Amino acid sequence: MLSFNEMIESMTHDVYESMKTSIEIGKWPNGQPLTPEQKEYSLKAVIAYEHLRNLPEEKRVGFIDRTRPDGNQHGCDPLQPEVLKILNS
C-alpha cells in the first residue's frame, strides 16, 4: 500500500485538476457527492500536490488576488493584527 506522500508524488496533473474540481462542486466526476471526509482528504492531497510541485502562489487553492488595476494592493492583510479604537461618547 502506498503512503500518502507516495500517492502525491505519483499523482498526475489530470488527477489533481479533477480532484480540485470535485472539491469545488462537491461531487466526483461520476456525480457521486463527496463526503465530508473525502473533501478533507482531497483538499489535503491537492494542497500537498501544489506544495510538492512548487506551484506559484496565484495558482494555488485559496489564493485571493488583492491587486488593483494600478498594481497596488487593496484590502487588509488578514494576517496582520487590527487596531481597535474605543471611542467614549
Side-chain angles (χ1 to χ4, degrees):
M1 182 177 220
L2 293 175
S3 71
F4 181 77
N5 288 336
E6 291 171 329
M7 285 192 303
I8 300 306
E9 289 173 5
S10 66
M11 187 186 298
T12 66
H13 187 74
D14 288 341
V15 169
Y16 159 77
E17 287 294 337
S18 178
M19 193 173 284
K20 205 166 96 168
T21 300
S22 295
I23 295 166
E24 290 170 1
I25 63 173
K27 54 186 167 181
W28 295 114
N30 67 1
Q32 183 92 13
L34 273 76
T35 66
E37 186 177 58
Q38 288 172 329
K39 283 183 186 179
E40 178 185 347
Y41 288 125
S42 296
L43 187 55
K44 286 180 181 181
V46 165
I47 292 170
Y49 176 91
E50 294 171 346
H51 179 73
L52 180 68
R53 301 288 193 275
N54 294 318
L55 291 182
E57 186 177 281
E58 64 273 5
K59 300 280 186 186
R60 295 183 184 187
V61 168
F63 174 75
I64 300 172
D65 186 7
R66 296 185 184 276
T67 308
R68 294 189 294 203
D70 64 4
N72 292 323
Q73 294 290 318
H74 64 85
C76 61
D77 182 350
L79 300 178
Q80 295 298 318
E82 291 185 41
V83 177
L84 298 176
K85 294 181 182 179
I86 300 174
L87 303 174
N88 293 328
S89 48

